[in-house]
Each structure stands twice: as structure tokens, then as C-alpha cells.
Amino acid sequence: MNIFRFAGDMTHLISILILLLKIYATKSCAGISLKTQELYALVFLTRYLDLFTDYVSLYNSVMKIVFIASSLAIVWCMRRHPLVRRSYDKDLDTFRHQYVVLACFVLALVLHERFTFQEVFWAFSIYLEAVAILPQLVLLQRSGNVDNLTGQYVLFLGAYRGLYIINWIYRYFTEDHFARWIACVSGLIQTALYADFFYYYYLSRIKQDTIMRL
Amino acid sequence: PLQQRPHDEL
């Protein structure tokens, strides 16, 4: 474990908690894509299949449970909470994410580290996390609503990606044979898509602020 | 071989 990865995990967790608290506090999820949040929950559920079989460290096991619980809590809030679910942009959040899930699964069947049940699902979760932001990006382009996507959320999400890339560079130079190419390449694609999301986020933010000022 | 190690990254 290095400080970059620890900080990356913390900023990732904080971004999820910021979103959960924002939805719970305002009892609104306007502008938030349920499909992206479902994909994130699926990412954690398929990546942490080794929760009960491989013990890496207490930190690792605790964080897996926290990520699964917090991502499911957001999905539950948006689907079941009587007040929150009313504000969901159902007719705008129409990205057909099932095709993305299928494409990632096929890719995982072809490209993985070992052809075992857990490894195929691990690769699937890595690919899926890279593209999970797409429904949110599409919804943001359509709705331009950044009310619930706070600046802090975007900031911590960006910090998570940046710190993980530094972590990979650090591990590449300090550990012999650090070769998690699937995670690194997919992570770079994910970061590029996040950069696109951040671009549209700030455009929407500026547009919203301008309208507010007029 | 090396890849037998469990994934240590979250």
C-alpha cells in the first residue's frame, strides 16, 4: 500500500459519500443518472467476489464492504425512497446501459488475467468502471442540471482518478513485475471519460451561473 | 506465477 493509493481510495469513498449525503439531505436526485449509479454498484459487486475467499488486509476487506454498501445505498435511495425517487429524471436517463454491460462482459471473456470465474468478473468490473460514467455524461448533456452534482463531488472524483494513476506509476518504478495492464489501460480510458464529464460539468456550471446572474 | 496473487487494489 502506498500513500497515493490510500489517498485515492479515500477520495473515491468521499466522492460516493458526498453524493449519498447530498441526495439524502436534499431528498432529490435531479440530474443524477440512476443507470451510472447502478453500474457502479455492479462494478463493486463483481469486483469484490473475492471478499470471502482472498484476505488481503483488514483495510481491504472493510473498504470493500463500505464501497458495496454505499453504492447500493445510493441506488436504493433513488429507486425506493418515496421523496427522492419522484425527482429522478426517468425520461432523460435513457442511456441503454445493458449494451455496455454486455460489451464489457464479452471483452472480459476475451481479455483477462486468468480464465477463472473470479478473474473474468474482475476484468469485467474493471472495464465496466471505465464506461460507467457514460449514462451520467449523457444525462448531463441533456439536462444540464448540476444541482446535485456538487463541485466537491467532481473534485474528489477527479482526485481519485489522478491519485490512482500516480499510484500505478509509483508501483511500476518501485515494484518489480508490477503488471496490472488491464487495470492501468482501462483506468486511463476511464480517466479520459471523466475528463470529458468534468468538461461538460463545468460548461453546465458556467451556463447555470450565468443564467442565475441574469 | 505472479498473477496468482489476489488483487490488492480496490
Side-chain angles (χ1 to χ4, degrees):
Chain A
M1 167 63 83
N2 60 64
I3 184 63
F4 305 114
R5 182 143 59 88
F6 178 72
D9 290 338
M10 290 301 110
T11 50
H12 189 193
L13 176 60
I14 291 171
S15 71
I16 296 171
L17 294 181
I18 283 178
L19 190 62
L20 178 57
L21 289 175
K22 180 73 178 171
I23 291 172
Y24 195 73
T26 60
K27 297 293 185 281
S28 162
C29 64
I32 294 172
S33 165
L34 171 60
K35 295 176 185 242
T36 282
Q37 298 309 321
E38 285 170 344
L39 291 179
Y40 280 142
L42 187 59
V43 163
F44 293 132
L45 288 169
T46 51
R47 186 173 303 177
Y48 302 150
L49 290 173
D50 62 352
L51 179 61
F52 303 110
T53 56
D54 295 326
Y55 179 79
V56 174
S57 69
L58 182 63
Y59 168 81
N60 190 273
S61 300
V62 167
M63 287 301 282
K64 285 175 177 174
I65 295 167
V66 169
F67 275 128
I68 290 173
S70 52
S71 58
L72 286 177
I74 289 180
V75 171
W76 179 84
C77 254
M78 293 182 71
R79 277 184 167 277
R80 292 279 180 271
H81 192 289
L83 287 181
V84 174
R85 60 185 299 188
R86 276 205 317 235
S87 57
Y88 170 49
D89 306 310
K90 195 191 338 283
D91 45 11
L92 281 177
D93 190 17
T94 57
F95 188 92
R96 287 190 295 278
H97 60 329
Q98 56 273 29
Y99 296 133
V100 158
V101 170
L102 192 69
C104 288
F105 190 71
V106 169
L107 184 59
L109 286 174
V110 172
L111 213 54
H112 42 260
E113 284 179 7
R114 293 193 315 279
F115 194 69
T116 67
F117 179 80
Q118 279 191 358
E119 278 303 315
V120 168
F121 274 100
W122 179 81
F124 166 71
S125 81
I126 294 290
Y127 303 139
L128 192 62
E129 189 189 359
V131 293
I133 197 73
L134 285 175
Q136 181 63 66
L137 179 58
V138 167
L139 178 61
L140 179 59
Q141 289 168 334
R142 284 189 187 148
S143 76
N145 183 332
V146 291
D147 294 347
N148 287 308
L149 292 170
T150 61
Q152 294 90 336
Y153 172 69
V154 166
L155 183 80
F156 280 108
L157 214 51
Y160 152 58
R161 290 315 312 159
L163 286 162
Y164 248 78
I165 287 173
I166 298 172
N167 153 63
W168 288 326
I169 295 169
Y170 177 83
R171 293 191 79 175
Y172 181 78
F173 285 112
T174 55
E175 296 173 22
D176 49 345
H177 314 304
F178 171 71
R180 292 284 192 201
W181 296 120
I182 288 180
C184 293
V185 172
S186 184
L188 286 174
I189 294 168
Q190 177 175 348
T191 307
L193 284 173
Y194 274 35
D196 194 27
F197 169 60
F198 297 156
Y199 171 69
Y200 276 106
Y201 173 80
Y202 284 110
L203 275 189
S204 308
R205 198 61 193 261
I206 292 165
K207 205 181 300 177
Q208 189 183 56
D209 290 352
T210 314
I211 293 169
M212 300 289 273
R213 206 173 301 123
L214 290 179
Chain B
L2 216 42
Q3 298 306 6
Q4 298 299 335
R5 284 179 308 144
H7 296 291
D8 60 351
E9 294 190 348
L10 289 171

